[in-house]
Amino acid sequence: MFLEKIGQFSVEKYLILFLIVLGLEGLLKNSFALAQLVVSPVAAAAADFSINYLRYKRKEFPEHGLITGLIVALVLSPVSLIASVIIPILSIVLKHAVRYKGRNIFNPAALGMFVSGIALGVHAAWWAAGSLLTAPFGLIIAYKIRRLYNSVSFIVVSSVISVMYGFMSSGNFLLPLNTTMLFFAFVMLLEPVTSPYTKKGQVVFGMSAAILSFLFTLFNAADSFLPTLLIMNLFARWMNKLK
């Protein structure tokens, strides 16, 4: 297991609780997303449980499937109830199908949403990423799963780039941090299986992700974070060699 225990609760349970809190907080401004917040986690958890049972005869509670479904629910633009069911299920199917040596290559939620953006035209909206709780909670999670360098290096480099670009383009200093960036850094970027575990590898991973997401933004990409994460996932294994 990559995830350690915090007291009587695993990091998975803390992350599930935190994502639910983020969703409930987001509903105060986006009540139209209620159905998605309920349906997507249930669909993903059911799909993950079914596949695990059919392939491996496991009957354990699908915590990782639930986390994937919650992330999809909080990021995906809530355009239709059908998409809220199909996309988390697609994420779980891809999680079990796209593997190398028995391990995931890509972050399942990111891959599912990216593919659905191409196939279905449903894109990320990051509608529930506006909580100030993200930073303190994320720091705890990143530290406990030993991925702190991933998140911190990404935030630092992104902030520096934002300030420099704002000053060079308009003569004004832009606000270097935003809640979407923090959600990406502390929830998605540090997924243990698809990110480096060595300290040097994490630093390079986070810095590279910051630069790449900025380049996507410069070229007016519909979303800069999802393609950035998927590209960086491809190099995570290689970055583990940086010690």
Side-chain angles (χ1 to χ4, degrees), residues 98-131:
V98 184
R99 303 170 74 88
Y100 177 73
K101 294 185 177 180
R103 292 164 60 93
N104 295 118
I105 302 173
F106 301 105
N107 180 294
L111 182 59
M113 287 186 286
F114 182 77
V115 171
S116 67
I118 296 174
L120 304 175
V122 181
H123 299 288
W126 305 89
W127 65 269
S131 176

Side-chain angles (χ1 to χ4, degrees), residues 70 103 125 137 145 155 204 220 222:
L70 282 167
R103 292 164 60 93
F137 181 88
I145 64 174
I155 291 171
V204 174
N220 297 315

Side-chain angles (χ1 to χ4, degrees), residues 174-190:
L174 299 178
L175 183 65
L177 292 177
N178 60 67
T179 51
T180 301
M181 179 196 298
L182 294 176
F183 183 93
F184 177 74
F186 286 123
V187 175
M188 303 190 70
L189 193 68
L190 49 66

Side-chain angles (χ1 to χ4, degrees), residues 75 109-110 113-114 124 126 184 188 223-231:
V75 174
M113 287 186 286
F114 182 77
W126 305 89
F184 177 74
M188 303 190 70
D223 180 80
S224 63
F225 290 130
L226 294 182
T228 291
L229 181 57
L230 295 175
I231 290 172

Side-chain angles (χ1 to χ4, degrees), residues 143-159:
Y143 173 77
K144 287 297 181 180
I145 64 174
R146 300 189 179 95
R147 293 298 189 282
L148 189 58
Y149 291 90
N150 267 355
S151 301
V152 173
S153 60
F154 173 81
I155 291 171
V156 169
V157 174
S158 292
S159 298

